Amino acid sequence: MAKLRLLLLLLPFSFFAQEKSHYNIHKFRQLKQELATPNSEHTASGAPGHDYKQQQVDYVMDIVLEEQTNKLTGTETITYHNNSDDTLEYLWVQLDQNKRSINSKTEVISSDKAPHLLSPKDFSKKYIHPFDGGFNITSVIDSEENSLNYKVNYTMMRIQLPRPLKSGDSFIFTIDWWYNINNFVEHGGRSGFEHFPKDGNNLYIIAQFFPRLAVYNNVEGWQNQQFWGRSEWALEFGNYDVSITVPADHILDGTGKLINRKEVFTSKELKRYKKATENYTNPVLIVSQDEVVKKEKRKTSKTKTWKLKAENVRDFAFASSRKFIFDAMAVDINGKRVMAHSLYPKEGNPLWEKHSTKSIEIALKTYSDYTFDYPYHKAISVHAKNQGMEYPMICWNRGRPNEDGSYSDRIKRKMISVIIHEVGHNFFPMIVNSDERQWTWMDEGLNSFIQYFAEQNLEKGYPSKRGPAHKIVGYMSGDQSKIAPIMSKGDDTYQFASNAYAKPATALHILRNIVMGPELFDHAFKTYSNRWKFKHPTPADFFRTMEDASAMDLDWFWRGWFYTTDFVDIGIKEVKSYTFTATENKENAVARKEIKFDANLVSNQLLSNTLYNKNNATNTIPNFAYEIEFIKPGGLIMPIIVKYIFTDNSSERIVYPAEVWRKNEFKFIKTYTSHKQLKQIVIDPQLESADVDTSNNYWPSQNSTKFERFKNN
Ligand SMILES: [Zn+2]
């Protein structure tokens, strides 16, 4: 009895649950549950609100790079401005170099199979003398030189404040540290040095090299998720005053204005640099290859200190080597001069002297067009083997010719593309400062989206790797167990590059081309960029701004493309053809293959139109009607792009908005009328929608056409 009663009670509930779940899977329902509740900092419009605030962290640093020992030593005084409404008990500092410590947890969690064979060098590296590149923190003191309590938890360090830091107050403290610089060619990483055995010199690209404050805000609290080696950073804006001591024959460049150029440049270099600032057409050599070859042999033991100052940047990086050839030119950004610098060893030539600085130029101009004018005074591209990595004003880029200086077209284009991409990162995330640790797509996806325009501006038809819709089909139609939604944390995703670079970039191109149209899209995208430059946006700020500035409900698009792994597949199931036939008898309205209309009524209507003339009438009265049943086997909601091709080979393109799927997401019936007879109907003929199966895109279906041809022959 008890069982029966339970069953009876359950029945109505389960019916209710089914109905509810049907509503829950409705693809046009709003994203209210997925997005954070708007507030006075991150508003419902997607703009920063009247209460918006962010912390500021200023750094004064003295850095010494010892070439003999490959040791980097630093003293940094940090001023932490608590602009939040909250009182803080401690500060979290990022120690990214601890990823290279001897106790690296990243090594512990990475699975490895027992190797079959190891060289003595690799055996030693793995089992006897593993490289220790972690931070050695030698002192943490406050401004009165009292030691501060701190606790290191892998790549994070908690600094206990002597007294709680109130809203509006600042705290000044100093950290002394050193670490062994890794050889990035041998040990990997996005910072370190490359050794060139032929001439015995090193090339240094130095980043994530100093303890940096984590972001504190009302989105994540402290963004203190560990650095596991892949997912990048969340960083506060601040001012930097940095002195870097390196061998005297090095050329160094980094984030910020070089404030002692007269002390570190020779008089010849100063003259050439001045010439470069006046040259807007071609790069000017400041340090030539011949001069570099001489320096490589001499190797000085003296040192020089380079001083750089930067305002309102979220990070600092530098590159240094006596191997650096250096060229520069001026770029005009809407009347403002920006310097484009390239630093590369002779091993990068002749590729680099031809293409690096010019690639910076096209990136700065294109990105400025789609967002806001590049606000910094320079952008630097540094040659570094196998690298592609970005910092404010400076980036590392791959692209090395063969030893004899020859290179394939592929190597050249890869180099140009990576320079455009990394220079582009100045906009996302260096200026539009999103949280990279959490949302890889917010910088990589938006950046890759504009990268496509820059490549096409450089050369029409440039073979861009990412952007065109059809290039994402392989990924989106692949094994679902190896695909994660774009809205996943970078460390947790599969197929990282497709997930966080290619798919969001392609999604935005599709959104621009076939959903919003360039005019509405570009205005909304610019609105987002300008609202959030020098601030910290979240995904919701992007989604909301794109809708806020365009009057388009795009929740279905974000939901499908960003929150699911669904793909696009739209097809034609059936087409019924009719012809219009004039009739006096209204009773006999519709017959199969025939639509009858009242000829008197139509001609009366046409006659009442003053613009009517007889010749036009034959073109306006439809003769044919086609009732088309569109189907959508793919999960993604998308507009239907249709090309109607007539027997005289003329055609018409119609894009039916995504809303056609509102009431029934599996089929949509539309009757198309024309005065000319149709020969063919094709869905997405130019492959603009990432449709994964085009075999159902044709009427008559391609197979039957082939069969008919066979039969006729
Ligand atoms: Zn990138």
Side-chain angles (χ1 to χ4, degrees), residues 326-363:
F326 177 19
D327 75 49
M329 73 180 255
V331 178
D332 181 356
I333 301 294
N334 295 320
K336 200 191 120 188
R337 175 169 52 204
V338 175
M339 291 303 295
H341 293 182
S342 292
L343 274 64
Y344 43 93
K346 61 182 189 298
E347 287 76 5
N349 265 341
L351 188 55
W352 273 64
E353 62 189 11
K354 280 189 200 155
H355 299 290
S356 175
T357 302
K358 284 288 195 181
S359 304
I360 301 174
E361 180 192 27
I362 200 77

Side-chain angles (χ1 to χ4, degrees), residues 390 421-422 425 444 447 501:
E390 71 277 11
H421 179 96
E422 306 308 337
H425 270 306
E444 297 301 353
N447 182 26
Y501 294 62

Side-chain angles (χ1 to χ4, degrees), residues 68-328:
Q68 295 305 314
T69 54
N70 283 318
K71 195 175 154 183
L72 196 74
T73 309
T75 289
E76 64 179 303
T77 296
I78 300 169
T79 306
Y80 187 87
H81 305 275
N82 182 13
N83 298 332
S84 77
D85 289 338
D86 313 321
T87 301
L88 301 174
E89 290 168 50
Y90 43 75
L91 306 177
W92 278 106
V93 174
Q94 310 185 51
L95 302 179
D96 301 299
Q97 292 301 326
N98 281 358
K99 191 251 159 195
R100 322 206 143 269
S101 73
I102 215 130
N103 305 314
S104 168
K105 287 189 192 176
T106 305
E107 293 304 312
V108 175
I109 65 157
S110 58
S111 72
D112 55 349
K113 286 184 177 168
H116 292 298
L117 188 67
L118 279 171
S119 69
K121 193 177 161 193
D122 286 344
F123 182 81
S124 167
K125 227 163 63 181
K126 202 166 166 64
Y127 298 109
I128 306 172
H129 300 295
F131 176 72
D132 189 1
F135 269 118
N136 299 278
I137 304 288
T138 50
S139 152
V140 183
I141 54 171
D142 67 12
S143 54
E144 273 126 47
E145 302 200 357
N146 302 310
S147 290
L148 292 167
N149 285 330
Y150 65 90
K151 164 72 186 165
V152 174
N153 170 16
Y154 191 31
T155 63
M156 298 299 305
M157 172 165 73
R158 188 186 67 232
I159 294 182
Q160 211 64 39
L161 295 165
R163 67 198 74 82
L165 183 63
K166 293 209 179 94
S167 171
D169 285 356
S170 300
F171 181 67
I172 299 172
F173 62 108
T174 300
I175 307 176
D176 290 349
W177 52 264
W178 67 271
Y179 71 83
N180 295 312
I181 306 171
N182 57 299
N183 178 326
F184 67 79
V185 180
E186 282 181 17
H187 298 117
R190 297 174 243 198
S191 169
F193 69 89
E194 177 183 1
H195 182 67
F196 293 76
K198 280 196 174 164
D199 56 60
N201 289 291
N202 292 345
L203 182 158
Y204 296 88
I205 47 167
I206 304 295
Q208 296 94 244
F209 67 93
F210 59 101
R212 301 177 296 175
L213 260 294
V215 168
Y216 179 83
N217 59 24
N218 81 341
V219 176
E220 297 279 338
W222 280 104
Q223 172 51 287
N224 56 2
Q225 298 192 24
Q226 299 286 341
F227 175 53
W228 290 101
R230 186 166 79 179
S231 281
E232 298 180 330
W233 296 277
L235 294 159
E236 302 284 13
F237 286 107
N239 302 327
Y240 286 71
D241 186 342
V242 186
S243 301
I244 311 164
T245 303
V246 295
D249 53 357
H250 274 207
I251 284 289
L252 181 149
D253 210 349
T255 308
K257 277 210 164 94
L258 178 61
I259 55 168
N260 65 337
R261 191 181 302 281
K262 283 183 184 155
E263 289 167 31
V264 290
F265 271 27
T266 64
S267 56
K268 208 191 263 177
E269 287 162 1
L270 278 173
K271 251 184 245 160
R272 292 169 179 171
Y273 191 78
K274 189 166 179 296
K275 204 177 137 202
T277 62
E278 290 151 7
N279 201 322
Y280 286 85
T281 47
N282 287 306
V284 173
L285 267 180
I286 289 136
V287 180
S288 73
Q289 184 159 333
D290 288 348
E291 288 160 344
V292 162
V293 171
K294 280 178 201 150
K295 282 204 274 184
E296 285 178 346
K297 287 176 190 149
R298 281 192 214 127
K299 295 188 184 88
T300 183
S301 57
K302 288 181 192 150
T303 62
K304 242 184 214 173
T305 301
W306 298 62
K307 292 179 180 167
L308 292 154
K309 257 187 168 181
E311 276 174 17
N312 207 18
V313 289
R314 62 161 241 171
D315 201 0
F316 185 97
F318 68 94
S320 185
S321 179
R322 67 174 59 81
K323 290 182 67 65
F324 280 145
I325 300 163
F326 177 19
D327 75 49

Side-chain angles (χ1 to χ4, degrees), residues 16-76:
F16 176 72
Q18 268 179 8
E19 272 183 20
K20 199 180 166 205
S21 77
H22 177 74
Y23 174 73
N24 280 346
I25 58 162
H26 196 285
K27 299 206 163 149
F28 285 88
R29 79 187 188 282
Q30 298 294 287
L31 280 171
K32 293 189 194 307
Q33 280 140 1
E34 284 76 9
L35 303 182
T37 308
N39 55 53
S40 56
E41 291 200 51
H42 295 262
T43 66
S45 71
H50 63 274
D51 276 337
Y52 180 80
K53 44 185 86 76
Q54 60 195 15
Q55 309 292 65
Q56 184 183 330
V57 191
D58 301 331
Y59 298 82
V60 178
M61 302 197 280
D62 262 312
I63 310 295
V64 179
L65 188 158
E66 283 172 63
E67 200 173 36
Q68 295 305 314
T69 54
N70 283 318
K71 195 175 154 183
L72 196 74
T73 309
T75 289
E76 64 179 303

Side-chain angles (χ1 to χ4, degrees), residues 518-554:
E519 216 180 318
L520 282 175
F521 181 97
D522 292 350
H523 173 258
F525 194 84
K526 262 192 185 185
T527 303
Y528 166 74
S529 307
N530 281 282
R531 280 177 171 183
W532 290 98
K533 65 183 175 191
F534 298 110
K535 294 190 171 72
H536 301 273
T538 65
D541 298 320
F542 178 70
F543 297 151
R544 286 175 172 144
T545 295
M546 292 303 286
E547 300 187 353
D548 185 64
S550 68
M552 288 192 82
D553 173 10
L554 301 169

